[in-house]
Amino acid sequence: MANSRRVSRVSSQIKREVGQMLLHDIKDDRVGAGMVSVTDVDVSGDLQHAKIFVSIYGTEEAKAETMEGLQSATSFVRYELGHRMQLRRTPEVVFLEDKSLERGDRLLHLINQISHEHPPQEDSENRVAEDNE
């Protein structure tokens, strides 16, 4: 097993390389249907498996189409990683959609909506001080 520092370095290098591939090398039109960015890469301790988390901006149809394109480009991505990186064995690659940005955005929207519907009330200390004056 590789140590955690090596796993972290391999993970960040895979993130960089796949990001470059998304910009320049993957020619599948389906991948261009939505705006795609690599948010995280999770590499197993033995460096044999890599989960690549991608954030896709667009409609639900564009997201589904983009994920299909990424799934079909998996073997190409693995082949390219093998050529670009100096590893004994190239990890198996899996693309997963990262919905954390959407969940965070939705949560912020709900918090803002609640704060507009229920404005903050004054502290009871302020009310007591005003009553005494």
Side-chain angles (χ1 to χ4, degrees):
M1 278 184 71
N3 63 23
S4 63
R5 199 172 83 184
R6 177 169 165 104
V7 170
S8 176
R9 283 195 335 249
V10 168
S11 174
S12 65
Q13 187 175 1
I14 289 174
K15 184 176 178 180
R16 259 193 319 273
E17 295 295 341
V18 172
Q20 288 297 315
M21 286 183 226
L22 287 172
L23 287 174
H24 304 292
D25 300 324
I26 298 177
K27 303 294 184 207
D28 193 336
D29 290 337
R30 294 176 293 181
V31 175
M35 202 165 72
V36 184
S37 63
V38 179
T39 57
D40 195 21
V41 175
D42 184 22
V43 179
S44 64
D46 59 359
L47 303 177
Q48 298 301 305
H49 303 280
K51 295 178 187 174
I52 302 172
F53 295 93
V54 293
S55 177
I56 305 168
Y57 183 76
T59 63
E60 289 301 319
E61 295 112 16
K63 290 179 185 182
E65 191 175 327
T66 301
M67 283 305 293
E68 286 175 18
L70 288 173
Q71 299 300 333
S72 69
T74 300
S75 59
F76 170 76
V77 170
R78 184 171 186 230
Y79 174 80
E80 282 295 312
L81 285 175
H83 281 300
R84 296 177 185 201
M85 297 176 65
Q86 307 277 313
L87 296 173
R88 275 187 219 135
R89 295 192 63 204
T90 306
E92 294 286 331
V93 175
V94 175
F95 284 100
L96 300 170
E97 186 177 356
D98 185 2
K99 296 184 177 186
S100 63
L101 295 175
E102 292 174 11
R103 283 194 304 264
D105 187 45
R106 184 169 182 273
L107 188 62
L108 284 174
H109 176 73
L110 289 173
I111 290 171
N112 287 337
Q113 183 180 7
I114 289 172
S115 68
H116 287 305
E117 290 175 2
H118 304 288
Q121 296 179 359
E122 294 180 26
D123 288 344
S124 60
E125 293 176 13
N126 289 343
R127 279 188 253 147
V128 170
E130 288 175 0
D131 291 340
N132 290 337
E133 292 177 0

